[in-house]
Amino acid sequence: MAWRDLFSGLTGGRRAKDRGADHDPFTRPEVVEATEPDGLALALDEIEAAALEVYASNGLPDQAGHYRRAPSETEWRFLGADMTPEARFALALEHPPEQGWRFARLQDLGARSDRADVREASRLLNDVAEFRLARRGVLTQDHLLMAMELGGAWRALQDARAIRTSQLNLSVPRKPRARRDKPVSEA
């Protein structure tokens, strides 16, 4: 067995003759859905869930998709999970923003909130969605920076969970009792 075959077997690759004759080495492989989520996908899910908790606690929807709000309403109404750009444009023509209609994706609902935590949740939801999309294509330097920021958010989330589930009780320290100084006996 050649070293290439051994290395290919260790890394999970397939030998060229196993791929078939129709394989073109210069084309990108189609997106293959993993049977089990990897660590990065799980971390992105945790960040998204935490951001959606912030949305829910502030009265915003937490279902992925497109929303609209009529001029006289305060709540966002779900339109659909997937809408084509043509359908969104047609809705905007039927209900113009000049008359007070608003349309947004879930991740954009909190972007203009008065609350900083809702704006941050919106930013995280946008970053998670963009990073998931980028994982299917070519990652750039901006995606690396985004991944680092998401990693910081994930670490903060983990730390916050550790504090919430901790058995440690923090309290104000008591005043120390007055000590009586005993004379030191000489031996």
Side-chain angles (χ1 to χ4, degrees), residues 79-154:
L79 289 173
D82 295 315
M83 290 186 71
T84 63
E86 294 85 9
R88 289 188 308 224
F89 188 70
L91 277 173
L93 288 177
E94 291 173 22
H95 308 288
E98 297 83 25
Q99 294 177 1
W101 286 88
R102 297 292 178 255
F103 297 92
R105 299 175 305 161
L106 173 70
Q107 54 266 45
D108 297 324
L109 294 180
R112 294 187 176 158
S113 173
D114 297 338
R115 297 184 48 114
D117 59 339
V118 177
R119 287 191 310 269
E120 180 65 13
S122 174
R123 187 187 67 80
L124 287 173
L125 287 171
N126 269 304
D127 286 353
V128 166
E130 186 177 338
F131 194 73
R132 281 186 176 143
L133 185 63
R135 285 184 71 190
R136 296 181 186 143
V138 177
L139 294 173
T140 65
Q141 190 175 18
D142 291 337
H143 295 121
L144 178 59
L145 292 172
M146 183 185 305
M148 292 168 58
E149 288 176 4
L150 287 170
W154 180 79

Side-chain angles (χ1 to χ4, degrees), residues 1-184:
M1 180 185 280
W3 65 272
R4 286 186 185 132
D5 293 335
L6 177 62
F7 182 75
S8 176
L10 291 174
T11 59
R14 296 182 304 175
R15 294 181 358 188
K17 66 181 178 183
D18 295 337
R19 286 189 210 135
D22 61 337
H23 176 71
D24 182 5
F26 296 103
T27 60
R28 292 189 65 82
E30 295 297 319
V31 175
V32 177
E33 295 296 326
T35 56
E36 293 183 25
D38 60 352
L40 179 58
L42 293 174
L44 291 173
D45 289 345
E46 286 182 39
I47 294 167
E48 185 176 52
L52 290 174
E53 284 177 21
V54 172
Y55 264 36
S57 67
N58 286 282
L60 290 173
D62 58 0
Q63 181 182 357
H66 296 269
Y67 291 84
R68 79 172 182 193
R69 187 174 65 196
S72 59
E73 296 177 358
T74 58
E75 292 188 18
W76 291 93
R77 293 189 186 261
F78 183 74
L79 289 173
D82 295 315
M83 290 186 71
T84 63
E86 294 85 9
R88 289 188 308 224
F89 188 70
L91 277 173
L93 288 177
E94 291 173 22
H95 308 288
E98 297 83 25
Q99 294 177 1
W101 286 88
R102 297 292 178 255
F103 297 92
R105 299 175 305 161
L106 173 70
Q107 54 266 45
D108 297 324
L109 294 180
R112 294 187 176 158
S113 173
D114 297 338
R115 297 184 48 114
D117 59 339
V118 177
R119 287 191 310 269
E120 180 65 13
S122 174
R123 187 187 67 80
L124 287 173
L125 287 171
N126 269 304
D127 286 353
V128 166
E130 186 177 338
F131 194 73
R132 281 186 176 143
L133 185 63
R135 285 184 71 190
R136 296 181 186 143
V138 177
L139 294 173
T140 65
Q141 190 175 18
D142 291 337
H143 295 121
L144 178 59
L145 292 172
M146 183 185 305
M148 292 168 58
E149 288 176 4
L150 287 170
W154 180 79
R155 176 53 57 203
L157 177 64
Q158 295 301 313
D159 292 346
R161 281 192 184 142
I163 289 171
R164 277 187 296 222
T165 60
S166 172
Q167 299 296 323
L168 181 66
N169 284 334
L170 299 177
S171 60
V172 177
R174 295 185 212 152
K175 282 180 121 178
R177 291 186 284 173
R179 287 184 27 194
R180 291 185 288 175
D181 290 331
K182 294 182 180 180
V184 178

